[in-house]
Structures are given as C-alpha cells and as structure tokens.
Amino acid sequence: MSSSARFHQDVEHFTALYVEERGRDESSFLAGIGDLARERGISDWEAEAATWEAIGRGLGRAPLSEAERNAYAQAWTDGDADRVRALGRGTATAR
C-alpha cells in the first residue's frame, strides 16, 4: 500500500474516531489531519479531493444524524464547493 493510500485510510479512521468522541474544534481536527499528512510525507493534503473523500467516508461510518454530518462538513470545508462535493462522494460510499 502506498503512503498516500495509507494516509487516506488513516484520515478515514481519524475522522470517524474524532466525531464519535464528539470532537467539535475545527482547528484541532484539521491540525490532526495535518499531523497525519506529515507522518506519511504528504504535502498539500487540503488540495487533494481524495483527502476530502476519506474524510467523508469517516463521517459516513460514524453514528451521526444527517444534520450533524452536514454541520461537520460545512465547518471543515469552509463551504468550498469542490471539497463539499468530494466529502459527499466519500460519505455516500461509506453508507
């Protein structure tokens, strides 16, 4: 498995765990993703649609209401349409 694939798998797991523990701080979530990226040698993770899809898969796996998923998605993507779409693709594959 490539370091990129491992990173995206880590992101999915981190996201699910973060929301299951009811993490609410956007900056700590994004900092955690940044830490994972550094550990895997990934740069510019925020620009990769695959990262946002992995986040979406993590959200899709977590026991959340649709309103909670939408709130996390809005906070983490800052309303960026491309990120929102990628996150939605990931969420759809996880359900």
Side-chain angles (χ1 to χ4, degrees):
M1 182 181 289
S2 72
S3 63
S4 179
R6 282 191 302 271
F7 168 66
H8 293 123
Q9 186 176 53
D10 290 347
V11 167
E12 180 179 341
H13 293 292
F14 176 79
T15 301
L17 182 62
Y18 186 87
V19 298
E20 286 171 10
E21 292 180 355
R22 297 296 183 213
R24 297 281 180 213
D25 182 17
E26 173 188 350
S27 62
S28 70
F29 172 75
L30 297 176
I33 300 293
D35 290 343
L36 291 172
R38 277 187 292 286
E39 289 171 13
R40 295 286 187 204
I42 305 295
S43 60
D44 203 20
W45 63 267
E46 292 174 300
E48 290 185 15
T51 301
W52 297 99
E53 290 172 8
I55 292 170
R57 286 191 305 275
L59 281 176
R61 289 181 34 209
L64 299 172
S65 69
E66 194 64 30
E68 289 172 315
R69 270 189 199 88
N70 290 338
Y72 279 115
Q74 183 62 36
W76 293 342
T77 64
D78 202 26
D80 180 282
D82 291 332
R83 291 177 180 178
V84 170
R85 277 191 295 277
L87 199 144
R89 285 191 302 271
T91 301
T93 63
R95 293 189 191 172

